[in-house]
Protein backbone atom coordinates (compact mmCIF):
# COMPACT_ATOMS: atom_id res chain seq x y z
CA UNK A 1 0.00 0.00 0.00
CA UNK A 2 1.11 3.54 -0.76
CA UNK A 3 -0.45 6.72 0.62
CA UNK A 4 0.66 10.16 -0.58
CA UNK A 5 -0.36 13.43 -2.26
CA UNK A 6 -1.02 13.28 -6.00
CA UNK A 7 1.85 15.67 -6.79
CA UNK A 8 4.20 12.99 -5.42
CA UNK A 9 2.91 10.15 -7.65
CA UNK A 10 5.90 10.19 -10.02
CA UNK A 11 8.29 9.13 -7.27
CA UNK A 12 6.59 5.71 -7.24
CA UNK A 13 7.45 5.12 -10.90
CA UNK A 14 9.17 1.79 -10.28
CA UNK A 15 6.31 0.56 -8.07
CA UNK A 16 3.40 0.94 -10.47
CA UNK A 17 3.05 -0.38 -14.04
CA UNK A 18 2.46 2.13 -16.86
CA UNK A 19 3.22 5.14 -14.66
CA UNK A 20 3.78 7.55 -17.59
CA UNK A 21 0.35 6.67 -19.00
CA UNK A 22 -1.28 7.13 -15.60
CA UNK A 23 0.34 10.52 -15.03
CA UNK A 24 -0.65 11.68 -18.52
CA UNK A 25 -4.24 10.51 -17.92
CA UNK A 26 -4.41 12.32 -14.57
CA UNK A 27 -3.17 15.56 -16.15
CA UNK A 28 -5.94 15.53 -18.78
CA UNK A 29 -8.88 16.23 -16.45
CA UNK A 30 -10.18 18.91 -14.12
CA UNK A 31 -11.00 16.53 -11.28
CA UNK A 32 -12.98 19.01 -9.18
CA UNK A 33 -15.52 19.58 -11.97
CA UNK A 34 -15.68 16.15 -13.57
CA UNK A 35 -18.99 14.27 -13.66
CA UNK A 36 -19.46 10.82 -12.21
CA UNK A 37 -19.07 7.90 -14.56
CA UNK A 38 -16.66 5.71 -16.49
CA UNK A 39 -13.75 7.44 -18.22
CA UNK A 40 -11.59 6.55 -21.20
CA UNK A 41 -8.56 5.15 -19.42
CA UNK A 42 -5.20 4.10 -20.82
CA UNK A 43 -5.18 0.69 -22.50
CA UNK A 44 -5.89 -2.20 -20.14
CA UNK A 45 -6.97 0.10 -17.31
CA UNK A 46 -10.41 1.00 -16.01
CA UNK A 47 -11.24 4.38 -14.51
CA UNK A 48 -14.34 5.91 -13.01
CA UNK A 49 -15.39 8.85 -10.88
CA UNK A 50 -17.99 8.36 -8.19
CA UNK A 51 -19.74 10.56 -5.67
CA UNK A 52 -21.07 8.66 -2.68
CA UNK A 53 -22.15 9.08 0.90
CA UNK A 54 -19.54 7.93 3.39
CA UNK A 55 -20.33 4.82 5.41
CA UNK A 56 -19.91 3.71 8.96
CA UNK A 57 -16.96 1.42 9.56
CA UNK A 58 -19.36 -1.48 10.10
CA UNK A 59 -21.01 -0.86 6.71
CA UNK A 60 -17.67 -0.57 4.93
CA UNK A 61 -16.26 -3.71 6.52
CA UNK A 62 -19.13 -5.68 4.98
CA UNK A 63 -16.97 -5.45 1.85
CA UNK A 64 -13.46 -5.73 3.30
CA UNK A 65 -11.93 -6.43 -0.10
CA UNK A 66 -8.88 -7.15 -2.19
CA UNK A 67 -8.28 -7.83 -5.85
CA UNK A 68 -6.22 -10.42 -7.73
CA UNK A 69 -6.01 -8.97 -11.25
CA UNK A 70 -5.90 -5.21 -10.64
CA UNK A 71 -4.12 -2.64 -8.50
CA UNK A 72 -6.43 0.10 -7.20
CA UNK A 73 -5.33 3.72 -7.32
CA UNK A 74 -7.94 5.67 -5.36
CA UNK A 75 -7.67 9.46 -5.55
CA UNK A 76 -9.83 11.57 -3.24
CA UNK A 77 -11.26 14.61 -5.03
CA UNK A 78 -13.43 15.94 -2.18
CA UNK A 79 -14.51 14.99 1.31
CA UNK A 80 -12.51 13.22 4.01
CA UNK A 81 -12.20 9.46 3.70
CA UNK A 82 -11.01 6.88 6.19
CA UNK A 83 -9.87 3.43 5.09
CA UNK A 84 -9.48 0.25 7.10
CA UNK A 85 -6.57 -2.00 6.05
CA UNK A 86 -4.99 -5.37 6.73
CA UNK A 87 -2.34 -7.38 4.94
CA UNK A 88 -3.92 -10.19 2.95
CA UNK A 89 -1.37 -12.66 4.34
CA UNK A 90 -2.88 -12.04 7.80
CA UNK A 91 -6.50 -12.48 6.73
CA UNK A 92 -7.85 -15.87 7.73
CA UNK A 93 -11.64 -15.49 7.55
CA UNK A 94 -12.74 -15.48 3.90
CA UNK A 95 -16.25 -14.22 3.18
CA UNK A 96 -17.55 -16.14 0.18
CA UNK A 97 -15.64 -17.12 -2.93
CA UNK A 98 -13.51 -15.02 -5.25
CA UNK A 99 -15.62 -13.28 -7.90
CA UNK A 100 -13.50 -13.46 -11.05
CA UNK A 101 -15.88 -11.27 -13.10
CA UNK A 102 -15.64 -8.40 -10.58
CA UNK A 103 -12.09 -9.28 -9.46
CA UNK A 104 -12.99 -9.10 -5.80
CA UNK A 105 -12.43 -11.27 -2.77
CA UNK A 106 -13.92 -10.41 0.65
CA UNK A 107 -12.78 -11.14 4.19
CA UNK A 108 -14.46 -10.94 7.60
CA UNK A 109 -11.24 -10.24 9.49
CA UNK A 110 -10.76 -7.17 11.67
CA UNK A 111 -8.53 -4.46 10.15
CA UNK A 112 -5.08 -3.78 11.58
CA UNK A 113 -4.93 -0.05 10.85
CA UNK A 114 -7.03 2.91 9.75
CA UNK A 115 -5.81 5.91 7.80
CA UNK A 116 -7.32 9.13 6.55
CA UNK A 117 -7.21 10.71 3.09
CA UNK A 118 -7.76 14.42 2.51
CA UNK A 119 -8.60 15.88 -0.93
CA UNK A 120 -5.61 15.63 -3.25
CA UNK A 121 -4.28 12.46 -1.64
CA UNK A 122 -4.28 8.97 -3.08
CA UNK A 123 -3.91 5.41 -1.89
CA UNK A 124 -2.61 2.53 -3.99
CA UNK A 125 -3.78 -0.95 -3.05
CA UNK A 126 -1.95 -3.98 -4.39
CA UNK A 127 -3.43 -7.50 -4.39
CA UNK A 128 -1.84 -7.99 -0.95
CA UNK A 129 -3.85 -5.10 0.54
CA UNK A 130 -7.26 -5.84 2.00
CA UNK A 131 -9.11 -2.56 2.35
CA UNK A 132 -12.46 -1.08 3.32
CA UNK A 133 -12.98 2.38 1.78
CA UNK A 134 -15.44 5.25 2.21
CA UNK A 135 -15.56 5.34 6.01
CA UNK A 136 -16.58 8.70 7.43
CA UNK A 137 -19.40 11.22 7.24
CA UNK A 138 -20.70 13.38 4.45
CA UNK A 139 -20.19 13.16 0.71
CA UNK A 140 -17.06 11.81 -0.95
CA UNK A 141 -15.98 12.24 -4.54
CA UNK A 142 -13.19 10.04 -5.80
CA UNK A 143 -11.46 8.68 -8.84
CA UNK A 144 -10.63 4.98 -8.98
CA UNK A 145 -8.17 3.65 -11.54
CA UNK A 146 -7.85 -0.11 -11.89
CA UNK A 147 -4.37 -0.97 -13.17
CA UNK A 148 -3.74 -4.52 -14.40
CA UNK A 149 -1.17 -6.53 -12.48
CA UNK A 150 1.66 -7.33 -14.88
Amino acid sequence: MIIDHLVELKKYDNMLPKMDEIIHFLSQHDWTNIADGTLDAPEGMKAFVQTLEAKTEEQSLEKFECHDQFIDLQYLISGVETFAWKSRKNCVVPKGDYNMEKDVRYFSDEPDIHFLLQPGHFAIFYPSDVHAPAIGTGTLKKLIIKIPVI
Side-chain angles (χ1 to χ4, degrees):
M1 175 179 57
I2 298 170
I3 307 163
D4 207 336
H5 194 282
L6 193 61
V7 298
E8 301 294 337
L9 184 61
K10 181 67 176 163
K11 73 182 179 186
Y12 303 102
D13 190 28
N14 62 342
M15 301 172 99
L16 200 60
K18 301 183 177 188
M19 180 62 84
D20 289 337
E21 293 175 52
I22 294 166
I23 289 172
H24 179 74
F25 171 75
L26 289 167
S27 71
Q28 299 300 305
H29 299 280
D30 173 6
W31 297 110
T32 55
N33 294 312
I34 196 161
D36 285 6
T38 302
L39 304 172
D40 280 336
E43 184 177 344
M45 296 182 214
K46 302 172 186 176
F48 57 94
V49 173
Q50 66 180 135
T51 302
L52 65 152
E53 289 303 311
K55 306 171 188 174
T56 65
E57 181 173 7
E58 182 178 289
Q59 290 169 323
S60 185
L61 285 172
E62 285 294 315
K63 294 188 175 181
F64 198 30
E65 66 183 28
C66 64
H67 313 286
D68 291 356
Q69 302 300 316
F70 288 90
I71 298 165
D72 272 5
L73 187 157
Q74 297 196 24
Y75 168 61
L76 188 62
I77 299 166
S78 65
V80 177
E81 181 176 19
T82 298
F83 286 81
W85 177 91
K86 185 175 189 115
S87 174
R88 185 174 182 169
K89 71 180 180 182
N90 294 329
C91 288
V92 295
V93 186
K95 186 176 186 178
D97 295 327
Y98 172 68
N99 182 326
M100 185 179 290
E101 182 180 317
K102 294 183 178 182
D103 183 39
V104 68
R105 176 182 313 273
Y106 298 112
F107 290 92
S108 293
D109 296 77
E110 290 296 316
D112 285 341
I113 65 168
H114 295 80
F115 64 90
L116 185 79
L117 289 187
Q118 300 281 345
H121 288 93
F122 68 87
I124 296 173
F125 299 101
Y126 294 93
S128 59
D129 297 310
V130 180
H131 55 284
I135 300 169
T137 59
T139 302
L140 306 173
K141 185 172 185 177
K142 61 195 295 184
L143 164 70
I144 300 172
I145 303 174
K146 299 216 165 258
I147 305 155
V149 174
I150 294 179

